[in-house]
Structure formats: C-alpha cells, structure tokens
C-alpha cells in the first residue's frame, strides 16, 4: 500500500469514527476538512472504502430516509459506511503511532487534523518530531544557501529565501503549539481516557467540523460501485 493510500484510509476511518456517512458526504468532508485530499476523486475513494470493508473495518448499510426507501427509477439507494468495532480499534492504533511517518510532509496534515481525537502525549511527540524534522531541513537549507549564494541569480536567490521563510514560519507555529500543549498540561494535567476522548483542556476538534456543523448538501447520485 502506498503512503498516500494509507493516509486516505486513516482519514476515512477517522471521519467515520465521528458518524456514519455515505460516499458523497465523506468525500465532501475530506475535501473541506483536509486540504491534502482535494485532488481525490470518487474513483480513488470507493476502492479505498471497498478495501476497508473487506478488512472488516467498515460495514455497508442502506441509508435511511425518503431517498433510501423510495429511490428514483433506475437508481440504487445510497450506501452508508459505518465503522466497526475492529475498525475503531485499528484507527486508535494508527492514532497512537508517533514514528517518522506521523510527521513527514505527506502525513502530518492528516495527523494534525485528527488531533482532537488524539491524546496529549501523542500530540506532543508528533509536534516535537515535526519540529525536529523541519529544524534539520532549515539547517541544511541555510548551509546550502551559504555555499551557493554567490553563484545564484537574484530570482533563484529569492526563491531560496522564500522556501526558508516558509519553513521558519512553520517552526514558529509549531513552537507556539508545543508551548500551548505544555501550558495546558501544567494547568489541567494529561487527558485521561485514551484517544477516544476529545481534549477537554483545550476543547480542540483538530480542525474538523463536527457533523452537525456541516450542512448536508442536496446530494447528487451517490451509489456504491
């Protein structure tokens, strides 16, 4: 399984942990809540859902409501995907991982989006790992620029500086997040109850809107394939 496929599976499990959804709603949540998935299509999402169903982590159910009970002629009722107990356990296992894959460029945004479902200790390790990775990158960028700046034209030099400034901004942002986490821990102590609970110290939701906050659109034809 590719890293990008793994990220998609992680995000799908995390969103379905909040509530069951049909495919169109799930794709909409992926697009609006996790910018990294904006380029994903139905052709990518549905194979992922089928794989998760085959692994026993999701089940397919017929949706309820007028559209499900009396579908239009020639159209099948919408399929709703629900997380199983095994799927919840698997997601919580993924959520607890703090190795390099948790803070690489391709994975960090997805992990951060679910910080509201992550224990504070894990959040801290992921944030500190991400900061260390970027500090290493920044040091290499500065060393490279010092060696080559005399040979660069003005535009290439500005591009190099722009890249460095972007990394520096993220490091400052991470410093603020880490200090905020530490301050919260000092005030309230660690959150108990594992990854299944929201962080009651900060009230964070990891940047994901709650299901009730996102009005459902007048949905197009969404049938499982």
């Amino acid at each position: 399984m590719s890293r990008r496929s793994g990220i998609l599976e992680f995000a799908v499990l995390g969103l379905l942990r909040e509530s069951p959804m049909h495919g169109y709603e799930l794709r909409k949540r992926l697009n609006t809540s996790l910018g990294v998935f904006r380029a994903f299509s139905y052709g990518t999402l549905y194979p992922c859902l089928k794989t998760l169903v085959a692994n026993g982590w999701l089940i397919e159910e017929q949706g309820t409501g007028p559209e499900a009970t009396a579908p239009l002629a020639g159209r099948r009722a919408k399929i709703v995907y629900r997380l199983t107990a095994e799927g919840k356990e698997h997601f919580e296992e993924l959520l607890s991982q703090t190795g390099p894959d948790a803070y690489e460029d391709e994975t960090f945004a997805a992990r951060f989006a679910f910080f509201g479902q992550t224990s504070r200790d894990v959040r801290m390790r992921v944030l500190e790992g991400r900061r260390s990775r970027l500090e290493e990158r920044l040091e290499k960028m500065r060393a490279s620029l010092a060696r080559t700046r005399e040979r660069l034209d003005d535009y290439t030099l500005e591009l190099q500086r722009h890249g460095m400034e972007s990394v520096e901004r993220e490091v400052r942002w991470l410093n603020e997040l880490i200090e905020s986490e530490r301050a919260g821990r000092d005030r309230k102590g660690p959150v108990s109850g594992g990854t299944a609970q929201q962080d009651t110290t900060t009230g964070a939701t990891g940047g994901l809107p709650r299901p009730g906050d996102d009005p459902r659109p007048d949905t197009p034809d969404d049938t499982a394939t």
Side-chain angles (χ1 to χ4, degrees), residues 8-59:
L8 180 59
E9 290 188 3
F10 171 82
V12 167
L13 291 172
L15 289 174
L16 292 177
R17 190 173 185 271
E18 294 181 355
S19 66
M21 300 182 202
H22 55 74
Y24 180 83
E25 182 182 11
L26 185 57
R27 180 172 177 249
K28 181 175 181 292
R29 292 289 303 281
L30 287 168
N31 287 341
T32 58
S33 303
L34 300 166
V36 70
F37 296 110
R38 289 190 184 278
F40 276 43
S41 65
Y42 283 116
T44 305
L45 177 59
Y46 279 111
C48 173
L49 290 169
K50 294 299 184 184
T51 297
L52 296 176
V53 170
N55 288 338
W57 298 330
L58 302 181
I59 58 173

Side-chain angles (χ1 to χ4, degrees), residues 37-221:
F37 296 110
R38 289 190 184 278
F40 276 43
S41 65
Y42 283 116
T44 305
L45 177 59
Y46 279 111
C48 173
L49 290 169
K50 294 299 184 184
T51 297
L52 296 176
V53 170
N55 288 338
W57 298 330
L58 302 181
I59 58 173
E60 296 176 331
E61 299 176 338
Q62 182 171 307
T64 59
E67 293 184 359
T69 56
L72 297 175
R75 298 181 182 179
R76 290 179 294 170
K78 294 177 183 177
I79 298 298
V80 172
Y81 296 89
R82 181 184 300 275
L83 195 67
T84 65
E86 292 80 5
K88 179 180 178 182
E89 182 179 350
H90 178 63
F91 176 70
E92 291 179 352
E93 179 183 347
L94 295 175
L95 208 61
S96 68
Q97 294 177 2
T98 59
D101 282 348
Y103 44 79
E104 295 289 355
D105 290 346
E106 294 181 351
T107 54
F108 176 71
R111 286 300 305 268
F112 188 81
F114 292 97
F115 264 22
Q117 302 184 43
T118 307
S119 68
R120 181 177 284 117
D121 287 344
V122 171
R123 293 199 304 264
M124 283 291 292
R125 288 196 291 272
V126 173
L127 290 172
E128 290 171 345
R130 177 66 177 172
R131 181 176 64 179
S132 295
R133 182 57 50 87
L134 291 181
E135 287 174 340
E136 293 172 2
R137 182 181 304 170
L138 194 56
E139 184 178 348
K140 291 178 181 177
M141 294 173 72
R142 287 169 175 162
S144 175
L145 185 60
R147 289 193 307 268
T148 61
R149 65 183 306 152
E150 298 301 327
R151 301 193 298 271
L152 300 177
D153 61 57
D154 290 343
Y155 297 102
T156 304
L157 185 60
E158 284 303 315
L159 186 61
Q160 295 284 337
R161 287 172 175 166
H162 174 70
M164 286 179 53
E165 290 171 358
S166 297
V167 177
E168 288 170 344
R169 282 195 298 271
E170 186 170 350
V171 169
R172 289 195 296 270
W173 174 67
L174 289 166
N175 285 335
E176 293 172 358
L177 290 171
I178 290 169
E179 288 305 312
S180 178
E181 292 286 349
R182 288 174 176 164
R185 175 181 293 168
D186 291 342
R187 290 195 304 269
K188 300 285 187 177
V191 176
S192 61
T195 60
Q197 294 195 9
Q198 181 180 344
D199 180 354
T200 55
T201 301
T202 62
T205 61
L208 289 173
R210 293 294 179 185
D213 297 336
D214 187 23
R216 298 187 181 184
D218 293 328
T219 313
D221 309 333

